[in-house]
Amino acid sequence: MFRHTKLLQFEARPEKPDPVYAHKLQELIGGAFGEMSVTMQYLFQGWNCRVEGKYKDLLMDTATEEIGHVEMLATMVARLLEGAPATMTAEAVKDPVMAATLGGMDVQQAIVAGGGALPADSNGYPWNGRYIVASGNLLADFRANAAAEAQGRLQTARLYNMTDDPGVKAMLQFNLARDTVHQKQWLAAIEELKADGLEDEIVPDALLDVEDQTHNNTIWGLSDGPDGPKGGWSTKAGIEYLTDPKPLGGPGTAPHPDPALYSTYSPTMDAVGTAKGKAKSVKNKLT
């Protein structure tokens, strides 16, 4: 059960309208790493969590907070659009919507949303449920969460430097702080999963005894130069760096196609890409 408190989590009031910045701010709402993504990611991780108690509560608490962040940003977008495009009309352009559009406003915010926010990114691309990660494995999910918060904070920081509006900056300062603590909480939760014996370093912590043991401790050095082996991921983790790895398989030739698909192929080559001793005609091959 969710309840809506009719107060914003933090104030979202710009000093003046700015439809161009409202267009940019859409990224923090409906972008791949926007608030809609982390909201749905944490909700589905929480709903799918099989561990009742602290981990599920952390997921659901954070997910519910993120719903409030979407509300804050949507409110800010609507207020940035207040009076626009009518008050932002360029003298050379008679139609106010066209003037704002040419100035960088998202025309769909006016035409589709009636002067409000959209469930879309800064290019107007609709938010997509495929952005979210909810695997059922808490270690994999928490790592994805830390990465999502890092990307979201990075984008928020960039947008912070794209405005001089003190009201917008104040809200983004709050968002930056929340992104900071969310990164820290997911990283700490990862360590706690290990301490509680629920997960280990590798996801999943299974089938380690049946995987090919020859290839589970090497890095293939496939870049020119000597710098790759200098990384601590090789020396400190005890991983062998292969400086001249060799291919282990044969040619990647596809098998002969189904004749009904009419794909082009050479009848003088067999399925592994080697020449046949005797060529056959395409007609004979197909029959």
Side-chain angles (χ1 to χ4, degrees):
M1 178 176 70
F2 292 90
R3 291 185 181 274
H4 179 228
T5 299
K6 297 180 181 179
L7 295 171
L8 294 176
Q9 189 177 135
F10 190 86
E11 189 56 81
R13 189 174 297 280
E15 187 174 87
K16 61 183 181 300
D18 187 345
V20 175
Y21 193 79
H23 190 175
K24 299 174 183 177
L25 207 56
Q26 281 288 155
E27 193 65 34
L28 297 188
I29 297 176
F33 301 103
E35 302 291 1
M36 287 184 66
S37 289
V38 289
T39 295
M40 299 306 294
Q41 181 155 309
Y42 303 160
L43 281 174
F44 276 91
Q45 288 178 8
W47 290 329
N48 294 340
C49 181
R50 269 65 171 182
V51 184
E52 294 292 339
K54 60 184 180 182
Y55 293 113
K56 186 161 189 169
D57 284 358
L58 179 63
L59 285 163
M60 296 306 297
D61 288 345
T62 312
T64 307
E65 178 186 347
E66 301 292 5
I67 298 174
H69 292 182
V70 177
E71 182 182 32
M72 286 164 48
L73 286 163
T75 302
M76 179 64 83
V77 165
R79 290 172 175 172
L80 286 166
L81 293 172
E82 184 178 358
T87 59
M88 306 295 289
T89 307
E91 292 183 6
V93 183
K94 301 300 182 183
D95 177 53
V97 174
M98 182 60 70
T101 301
L102 292 176
M105 175 183 175
D106 184 349
V107 68
Q108 288 206 356
Q109 287 176 329
I111 296 173
V112 178
L118 296 160
D121 66 13
S122 53
N123 280 328
Y125 184 81
W127 182 82
N128 194 319
R130 290 189 178 275
Y131 294 154
I132 76 167
V133 175
S135 70
N137 181 289
L138 291 182
L139 179 57
D141 285 351
F142 288 176
R143 284 175 174 168
N145 295 351
E149 293 288 349
Q151 292 290 345
R153 192 177 191 282
L154 176 61
Q155 293 178 359
T156 302
R158 289 169 174 167
L159 280 161
Y160 181 81
N161 291 320
M162 293 180 186
T163 181
D164 294 322
D165 189 300
V168 177
K169 278 187 170 291
M171 186 197 72
L172 293 181
Q173 287 168 347
F174 175 81
N175 288 358
L176 286 166
R178 299 312 297 164
D179 289 342
T180 295
V181 74
H182 289 165
Q183 286 188 56
K184 293 195 290 189
Q185 76 180 38
W186 296 127
L187 293 172
I190 288 169
E191 296 307 312
E192 192 145 338
L193 279 172
K194 299 174 187 176
D196 288 345
L198 295 175
E199 296 291 343
D200 205 339
E201 290 290 336
I202 304 300
V203 179
D205 186 19
L207 304 180
L208 295 174
D209 57 334
V210 301
E211 67 188 25
D212 191 330
Q213 303 298 311
T214 306
H215 303 291
N216 64 6
N217 203 44
T218 58
I219 296 175
W220 285 37
L222 299 172
S223 299
D224 291 338
D227 294 331
K230 298 176 183 177
W233 47 86
S234 175
T235 56
K236 295 178 183 177
I239 301 174
E240 181 185 1
Y241 213 106
L242 302 180
T243 57
D244 187 26
K246 303 298 182 183
L248 303 176
T253 307
H256 294 147
D258 184 333
L261 299 180
Y262 305 109
S263 297
T264 303
Y265 79 100
S266 170
T268 61
M269 303 293 287
D270 64 19
V272 294
T274 56
K276 289 187 174 183
K278 182 178 180 182
K280 296 183 179 180
S281 69
V282 172
K283 179 179 179 180
N284 289 340
K285 187 67 177 177
L286 293 177
T287 55

